Amino acid sequence: MVFKRLLGAIGVGGPSVDTVLDGGAALPGGALTGRVLLRGGGSAVDIEHIGLELIARVEAEHAEGESEGSVVFERFTVGGGFRLGEGEERELPFSVPLPWETPVTELHGQPLGVALGVRTEVAVAGARDKGDLDPLAVRPLPVQEAVLEAFGGLGFGFRSADLEYGHIGGTGQRLPFYQEIELTPAPQYAHAMNELELTFLASPAGVEIVLEADKRGGPFSAGHDALTRFTVRHEDAPALDWQAEVDGWIRRMTEHHDAYGSHAAYGHDSHGYGHAGMPGTGHHSGPGLGTAVAAGAAGLAVGVVGGMVAAEAVDEIGDFFEGEEDDAEEA
């Protein structure tokens, strides 16, 4: 355990805090559990409020180019209203719900390069002080994992993953940003696209899957983006033949993209975002209904492990947390 002294609120000699998350990666829409540990300083103080903030590193596009910053996408109050004695140690267990759209940070234990964190805030003597910042690991929901494994099984490769500030128009997106997982095309689709971007928008009812392909141009036509989306129920995760299902999505998008809309139709609004209602929850059932998801199709995870992506992801995530800690100490 690493306690962090709270200096900003009451000065040297104040209490210290450490937040310990329970082991293992959390699930979108599931519970995030852990403990906030407090240790009293040189005198008794009144703890007015203890909160947790969920933070994400996001990219934003604007007129001057691209920039990165931190976004707080959820806040929870987990304690407060008590007196912490001199040198007293107190433990506050918590269990809070993660938003359904919480991004996935790993696949089969391998980092995807997405940085999420849990920051503790303690209010003492009328001032709020930032405590420690802990990395948050999130594994995919069964539907998300099945779709990623299907892409891997079809021959798509992992290129990168990031969080984009803005809203995908026409979807049920709730958070102020969305996750993009960039994939290299499978050999059988390399003639039709340069890359494929995949976004998951989960809800209690299911997962909305947004696919955007950077389509190659032909001898007499320019390249363009093709975008489409599908909604799958959570209970379909063990029921569908996912490779056939995903292959069908890609074929329909590359061969008949006009019927499913374009980049402009759905849009990526990076200047504002709303809380649009969820579209219809009907799902697309494909061939092979009732067959089990192939157990060994971890192609995307192998792609992460096999290259330099994992090491670079760890470095970037480490830089993010170091920067956040520095900002908190300066505040």
Side-chain angles (χ1 to χ4, degrees):
M1 291 180 289
V2 180
F3 281 86
K4 182 173 181 180
R5 182 74 65 182
L6 301 176
L7 299 177
I10 60 175
V12 178
S16 54
V17 62
D18 181 35
T19 299
V20 180
L21 302 179
D22 288 343
L27 273 175
L32 176 66
T33 60
R35 298 164 290 150
V36 176
L37 308 175
L38 292 171
R39 179 182 294 167
S43 61
V45 294
D46 291 321
I47 304 295
E48 299 170 356
H49 166 91
I50 300 174
L52 300 177
E53 295 179 335
L54 303 185
I55 302 176
R57 183 188 64 187
V58 304
E59 298 179 359
E61 295 183 4
H62 41 77
E64 292 75 23
E66 273 193 2
S67 61
E68 289 188 349
S70 299
V71 171
V72 176
F73 63 97
E74 188 61 279
R75 290 183 172 91
F76 305 99
T77 298
V78 296
F82 62 88
R83 191 166 183 81
L84 183 69
E86 177 183 350
E88 178 187 356
E89 294 189 358
R90 184 174 293 214
E91 178 178 311
L92 301 173
F94 63 82
S95 177
V96 296
L98 285 181
W100 279 95
E101 289 180 18
T102 300
V104 175
T105 69
E106 64 176 50
L107 176 61
H108 298 295
Q110 300 302 318
L112 299 180
V114 173
L116 302 180
V118 180
R119 185 165 61 195
T120 310
E121 181 183 75
V122 181
V124 182
R128 295 177 183 270
D129 204 330
K130 304 296 183 184
D132 60 344
L133 179 68
D134 298 280
L136 172 60
V138 181
R139 68 185 192 274
L141 292 162
V143 167
Q144 295 170 327
E145 183 172 321
V147 170
L148 290 171
E149 289 185 347
F151 274 109
L154 289 169
F156 285 80
F158 176 85
R159 176 172 287 165
S160 66
D162 56 27
L163 305 181
E164 297 283 343
Y165 184 81
H167 186 270
I168 302 177
T171 69
Q173 183 184 339
R174 299 290 179 177
L175 293 185
F177 57 84
Y178 54 92
Q179 182 174 19
E180 276 189 349
I181 300 174
E182 295 185 4
L183 306 176
T184 58
Q188 65 269 33
Y189 289 113
H191 68 284
M193 66 178 71
N194 295 304
E195 69 175 14
L196 182 71
E197 294 177 348
L198 166 65
T199 295
F200 294 116
L201 299 174
S203 73
V207 179
E208 194 173 4
I209 299 158
V210 182
L211 301 177
E212 182 176 0
D214 178 12
K215 297 192 70 176
R216 296 186 187 276
F220 307 104
S221 63
H224 61 277
D225 291 342
L227 188 148
T228 187
R229 57 185 177 139
F230 303 87
T231 302
V232 181
R233 301 173 304 183
H234 292 295
E235 56 265 34
D236 288 336
L240 295 180
D241 179 345
W242 282 103
Q243 283 196 214
E245 187 79 5
V246 170
D247 191 54
W249 295 348
I250 303 302
R251 290 185 184 279
R252 276 175 277 177
M253 182 171 63
T254 56
E255 295 171 5
H256 307 289
H257 69 276
D258 290 334
Y260 290 93
S262 65
H263 186 103
Y266 290 109
H268 292 252
D269 178 10
S270 60
H271 304 289
Y273 54 90
H275 287 184
M278 281 293 292
T281 56
H283 66 288
H284 298 258
S285 60
L289 186 64
T291 61
V293 176
L300 291 181
V302 172
V304 176
V305 178
M308 295 299 292
V309 177
E312 293 170 358
V314 171
D315 289 342
E316 291 179 5
I317 293 171
D319 292 342
F320 167 70
F321 285 103
E322 288 176 7
E324 283 293 314
E325 292 285 6
D326 292 343
D327 293 343
E329 290 174 3
E330 293 172 2

